């Protein structure tokens, strides 16, 4: 395992999987968190950049499954146009979960990168994760078939690779059972 430090961020690699984490402080910004990965060397041919909401309640993490899919993923999605990370995350959570994120509570959690689920070999996904509070009642929209609260004993076959990495990270921080 190796570590590289960028200001208040620490990036490490383990078993050919890159993970970036950021110190949770008020000076952290979405652009610096995402920028941590842009400095890493990459031999992949394709890259998908996504944002995700890490939501933990009662020591369980919220995951979602799209209609027609088998794997659960961390709620979120891609930026549109010139959206900031916060704007895109708020829009995606409204679309997928029918809740409004409280923008003042959005905090960087970390960045995870792995082979993209269901994509050709060499297509990687970079998942920039945030935590936040929300207003409203969590409810799947028309594109989401199921929401589930999971603990660390969730079968890995139910999750994407980045989902497994995130769940392992939450467990290592004693945030989930």
């Amino acid at each position: 395992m190796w570590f590289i430090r960028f200001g208040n961020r620490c990036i490490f690699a383990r078993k050919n999987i890159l993970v970036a984490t950021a110190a949770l402080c008020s000076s952290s910004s979405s652009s610096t968190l995402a920028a941590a990965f842009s400095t890493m060397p990459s031999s992949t041919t394709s890259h998908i950049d996504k944002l995700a909401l890490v939501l933990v309640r009662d020591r369980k993490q919220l995951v979602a499954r799209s209609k027609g899919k088998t794997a659960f993923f961390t709620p979120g999605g891609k930026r549109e146009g010139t959206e900031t990370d916060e704007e895109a995350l708020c829009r995606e959570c409204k679309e997928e979960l029918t809740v409004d994120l409280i923008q003042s509570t959005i905090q960087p959690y970390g960045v995870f990168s792995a082979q993209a689920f269901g994509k050709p070999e060499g297509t990687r996904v970079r998942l920039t994760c945030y935590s936040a509070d929300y207003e409203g009642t969590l409810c799947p929209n028309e594109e989401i078939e199921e929401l589930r609260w999971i603990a660390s004993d969730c079968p890995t076959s139910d999750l994407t690779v980045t989902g497994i990495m995130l769940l392992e990270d939450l467990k290592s921080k004693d945030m989930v059972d």
Side-chain angles (χ1 to χ4, degrees):
M1 182 181 301
W2 51 263
F3 295 87
I4 298 176
R5 189 154 179 84
F6 291 96
N8 68 340
R9 294 169 308 234
C10 183
I11 298 177
F12 64 93
R14 176 176 53 108
K15 296 180 185 174
N16 296 327
I17 298 174
L18 296 177
V19 179
T21 59
L24 294 179
C25 64
S26 59
S27 65
S28 293
S29 72
S30 58
S31 59
T32 56
L33 185 61
F37 247 85
S38 65
T39 62
M40 299 301 297
S42 175
S43 60
T44 60
T45 57
S46 182
H47 186 85
I48 300 169
D49 191 28
K50 289 191 168 187
L51 306 166
L53 176 67
V54 178
L55 191 56
V56 176
R57 297 289 183 264
D58 300 322
R59 300 187 53 80
K60 293 186 178 185
Q61 179 201 359
L62 180 69
V63 293
R65 184 173 56 81
S66 297
K67 290 187 177 176
K69 303 288 183 176
T70 58
F72 284 84
F73 63 91
T74 309
K78 299 177 187 175
R79 285 175 214 81
E80 291 182 356
T82 60
E83 283 181 321
T84 65
D85 283 10
E86 291 84 357
E87 290 167 340
L89 188 64
C90 288
R91 177 186 49 74
E92 287 287 349
C93 289
K94 182 71 171 179
E95 290 174 4
E96 293 179 356
L97 308 174
T98 67
V99 296
D100 294 307
L101 295 186
I102 302 170
Q103 285 196 332
S104 63
T105 68
I106 298 173
Q107 295 291 318
Y109 179 84
V111 179
F112 301 84
S113 181
Q115 170 65 38
F117 179 80
K119 301 294 182 184
E121 185 66 32
T123 303
R124 297 190 61 85
V125 63
R126 177 178 56 208
L127 195 64
T128 304
C129 300
Y130 295 88
S131 62
D133 293 328
Y134 64 90
E135 294 176 335
T137 303
L138 292 168
C139 182
N141 78 348
E142 63 276 352
E143 71 184 49
I144 303 298
E145 189 161 334
E146 181 181 359
L147 296 177
R148 183 187 292 177
W149 293 95
I150 62 169
S152 61
D153 61 354
C154 177
T156 56
S157 60
D158 288 356
L159 303 172
T160 63
V161 176
T162 52
I164 294 166
M165 292 167 62
L166 177 55
L167 189 59
E168 287 176 356
D169 190 67
L170 290 166
K171 177 68 175 173
S172 74
K173 293 176 180 171
D174 196 33
M175 296 175 68
V176 297
D177 288 330

